[in-house]
Amino acid sequence: MKKTAIILLFNMLCVINLSAQLRSFDDIFSGMSSNIRKEVFTEAGYIRTIEKSSGISFVSSSPATDSGISGQIINTVIKNNPGYIVESILVVSAEQGSLTLLNVYNALGNVRGLKGRLYNSATRNQEIPLFEDATRIRSERQTTAIADPAPAKSLPRSETVYIRLKDINFGNTYYRGEMSLIQSGLCYSLSNFRNMTYFLIPVIREGNFIAQLYFEPIREGVLIYSIAGADVSDFVSSRVHISSAIAKRLEVIIAWAVEGILQRK
């Protein structure tokens, strides 16, 4: 009986210690306006597009004000001088301390879960699958499909995966996904390692699309800060609404991650 009581006390202390270590949303985004903050805690979250021609600015110059994480996340995108940028902030609400980075990692590992996810197509006036197929592949050179791994029981410091998504507009698209632990969170970077084409015309050339997703368990749940950028030619941008295309793909990817995080075992 005494041994059981000691174990229960130890577990309670661990939970208290974990909760004490978690930052709150306001610790990270202390200067955010109340209107934007309200959007962040909705199901869709806050999302906006930015064109280089209009001047680049962000909701917060530091999505992790006390650690400089934002510089690494944002700079990875803007150093490519993208013409179009999408910024998104969302909090997945959950009981304090109930979601961990391992939940996030396992959610991101379910690449096949991207298949068939719907988005609202304005041109077709209906919801249609954005990715008709989604699978891991062996490498940049070996594009043979491989299975997703079973849920992990421990979290690696870093990992690189290769992904093929059959895009409704761009056909087969190929991405490199790089995961790394940064301070209190996990950063997941997606970049295209082959040209993305539209009717055989290169729309986004190799390496000209990059998305950074930053996940951090906080007191209110899990913070997801995302920024994606792409550079395209004037010829393409006059024919394809690139900012909308980036935003829709980022929204689908975030929704996939959220669903996986909440389906924790």
Side-chain angles (χ1 to χ4, degrees), residues 183-202:
Q183 300 290 341
S184 303
L186 181 154
C187 182
Y188 191 73
S189 176
L190 277 175
S191 58
N192 65 312
F193 63 83
R194 290 189 182 180
N195 292 345
M196 298 168 66
T197 60
Y198 186 71
F199 289 111
L200 303 180
I201 300 171

Side-chain angles (χ1 to χ4, degrees), residues 119-126 128 169 198 241 248:
Y119 83 103
N120 185 37
S121 172
T123 56
R124 305 184 193 194
N125 195 30
Q126 61 179 320
I128 59 174
N169 296 126
Y198 186 71
H241 196 224
K248 287 174 180 176

